[in-house]
Amino acid sequence: MLAMNASGVSRRSLLRGLGGGVALGALAGCGVPAAYVAAGDRSGADRSEQDRRLVFANWPLYIDTDDEDATRRPTLDAFEKRTGISVDYVEEINDNDEFFGKISPSLMNHQATDRDLIVISDWMCARFVRLGWVQEMDRARQPNVTRYLDPLLRSPAFDPGRKYTVPWQSGITGIAYNRRRVGREIRQVSDLWESDLKGRVTLLSGLDEAFALLMLGNGVDITKWTADDFHQICDQVDRQVRSGQIRRFTGNDYIKDLSSGDVLACQAYSGDVIQLQADDPDIEFVVPEEGAELWAESLMIPNLAAHKANAEQLIDYYYEPEVAAELAAWVNYVCPVPAARDILASSKDEELAALAEDPLIFPDDVMRERLSIARDITSQERVEFGKRWNAIAGL
């Protein structure tokens, strides 16, 4: 039975504002030759057949739970019953950089992490892929992924063809604003710099979260942006900070600012706005005319995982449209399985059926044309870019 997220808190609401992970970014940048793991050294003995279990590390509030018993996870329970595979589900990821620091010593020293499946943001996934810290998946075991993965998410620059990663959930970084308080529509990134919003605008503090939307406002193709594009953005943002246009840089505390009216417009995540709209229908989410960034948080199998085949089976299970629909109804982010839309649309529950028409869960054709995945920041760029951005953002 499909159920909606009743928690009132999105998974991303727990994130702290990030500063781009400069120190860890340097380590992750392949600048330490010993950290790289060659393809032939990534796999270990797979005990999946004789040991029917796996360890799955994820973020808090990022899977469906039972309304009566929060310790029960209906989709996972169904997987265990169907397959006989026991899942040790651990909600231990609260910050991409923090989790990187937690497991990187094992990975760089060619040791097992004691985790078979992890979920991290794609910009961090890019580091793992470059370092050779994750295993290529066997798509022969994943027919649902092959068939149902959203074409928009199939081939990011850091992992062409998604050999090493599979999106768990996706989302959009765009603009949120209170239409009643602003008194007009916001349609473009440049609208954030209008005088009537002075001192009532916030940007995301994390370099990886903020830069792509701003580049799109300049007409940049974010799939192949350049260093010049980045520095142009920094120049513009620096001017807006100095003029007092930007109130501050935030993590997910923009949610509180927007709800209270202290902020009128801000960079925002689509899933958060769905939650906010339940309490204030005047809050709107905009994919600007110039476009917005589509991102994902993706599943990966770390090197030397002891239950690789079991992990691949679980990933494919979540790409069954019926299962994807149940998860989407709870987490309210962009579903990476477009076929789940028809499952929700056929629900006799009016609220569930309405989710099928929500473009922030299933983007319509017009919106999809304006979404793109940004090229990730390379290891060579990260330290320099992080220092410049953090200086502007006051981090």
Side-chain angles (χ1 to χ4, degrees):
M1 168 118 11
L2 298 176
M4 294 182 67
N5 179 359
S7 71
V9 183
S10 78
R11 202 280 301 155
R12 276 186 172 254
S13 298
L14 297 182
L15 291 179
R16 297 192 296 272
L18 302 177
V22 175
L24 289 170
L27 171 62
C30 300
V32 183
Y36 178 77
V37 178
D41 298 325
R42 297 173 191 173
S43 62
D46 190 351
R47 303 201 301 269
S48 292
E49 285 193 19
Q50 62 268 36
D51 189 12
R52 302 293 286 167
R53 66 184 184 92
L54 69 111
V55 179
F56 181 4
N58 205 346
W59 303 73
L61 302 176
Y62 218 16
I63 198 169
D64 53 304
T65 58
D66 187 276
D67 289 341
E68 305 297 326
D69 181 357
T71 65
R72 292 190 61 247
R73 303 177 178 97
T75 56
L76 270 187
D77 293 345
F79 173 80
E80 291 180 327
K81 183 176 181 180
R82 181 199 296 186
T83 64
I85 297 171
S86 174
V87 181
D88 182 4
Y89 186 81
V90 186
E91 294 182 322
E92 65 169 329
I93 306 175
N94 293 292
D95 178 300
N96 286 287
D97 283 329
E98 178 184 71
F99 188 67
F100 177 91
K102 189 175 187 178
I103 68 173
S104 59
S106 296
L107 290 165
M108 73 173 59
N109 288 298
H110 303 239
Q111 298 170 352
T113 66
D114 298 323
R115 299 164 183 85
D116 301 294
L117 198 57
I118 62 176
V119 176
I120 52 179
S121 300
D122 269 358
W123 61 265
M124 180 61 82
C125 290
R127 299 187 193 178
F128 280 71
V129 172
R130 283 196 297 264
L131 285 164
W133 287 359
V134 289
Q135 299 182 62
E136 183 172 349
M137 297 185 200
D138 183 354
R139 289 288 182 257
R141 294 194 182 108
Q142 299 177 317
N144 292 320
V145 173
T146 300
R147 180 177 179 182
Y148 292 117
L149 174 57
D150 191 330
L152 286 179
L153 296 166
R154 282 184 182 269
S155 198
F158 73 91
D159 185 14
R162 287 281 184 185
K163 295 179 180 180
Y164 300 94
T165 63
V166 173
W168 172 250
Q169 293 292 286
S170 182
I172 304 166
T173 300
I175 297 172
Y177 75 106
N178 188 305
R179 185 169 182 174
R180 176 177 54 81
R181 288 184 168 129
V182 172
R184 60 178 173 85
E185 289 188 353
I186 289 180
R187 296 182 176 179
Q188 300 178 328
V189 175
S190 60
D191 289 339
L192 294 174
W193 317 136
E194 294 294 333
S195 59
D196 60 334
L197 298 181
K198 186 171 183 177
R200 311 285 291 280
V201 173
T202 61
L203 299 182
L204 294 168
S205 59
L207 168 60
D208 295 274
E209 284 79 15
F211 79 92
L213 181 70
L214 301 173
M215 283 186 185
L216 283 162
N218 285 346
V220 173
D221 179 352
I222 62 172
T223 66
K224 49 185 179 183
W225 58 271
T226 67
D228 287 344
D229 296 325
F230 173 78
H231 288 298
Q232 183 180 2
I233 284 298
C234 288
D235 291 342
Q236 292 170 344
V237 172
D238 190 38
R239 286 196 297 271
Q240 297 298 341
V241 169
R242 294 177 186 277
S243 73
Q245 185 74 19
I246 296 173
R247 183 184 186 91
R248 66 190 185 103
F249 294 81
T250 74
N252 281 79
D253 40 345
Y254 73 81
I255 296 171
K256 181 180 178 181
D257 291 343
L258 189 61
S259 297
S260 69
D262 290 340
V263 163
L264 298 180
C266 58
Q267 281 188 320
Y269 303 122
S270 54
D272 288 337
V273 176
I274 292 176
Q275 304 277 345
L276 290 171
Q277 287 171 335
D279 297 320
D280 188 348
D282 290 320
I283 292 176
E284 296 195 11
F285 183 85
V286 178
V287 170
E289 293 174 355
E290 309 97 327
E293 180 189 13
L294 180 69
W295 46 262
E297 284 161 333
S298 293
L299 298 143
M300 298 191 299
I301 300 173
N303 289 356
L304 304 180
H307 308 91
K308 181 174 185 283
N310 291 345
E312 289 167 337
Q313 189 171 348
L314 179 63
I315 293 168
D316 202 55
Y317 165 78
Y318 274 99
Y319 270 72
E320 294 179 12
E322 294 81 5
V323 180
E326 187 166 357
L327 184 60
W330 202 90
V331 299
N332 291 170
Y333 271 87
V334 174
C335 180
V337 182
R341 181 181 182 277
D342 290 340
I343 305 300
L344 287 169
S346 64
S347 173
K348 294 180 180 179
D349 184 300
E350 291 184 3
E351 288 187 84
L352 288 173
L355 294 179
E357 305 304 320
D358 191 328
L360 301 187
I361 299 176
F362 298 99
D364 56 32
D365 290 342
V366 173
M367 185 180 289
R368 290 173 70 87
E369 289 178 359
R370 300 207 300 269
L371 299 176
S372 51
I373 299 176
R375 169 179 81 75
D376 57 294
I377 299 171
T378 69
S379 55
Q380 292 75 22
E381 296 166 330
R382 181 162 294 278
V383 174
E384 174 194 350
F385 289 2
K387 285 181 179 178
R388 177 147 199 224
W389 178 262
N390 291 353
I392 295 170
L395 300 173

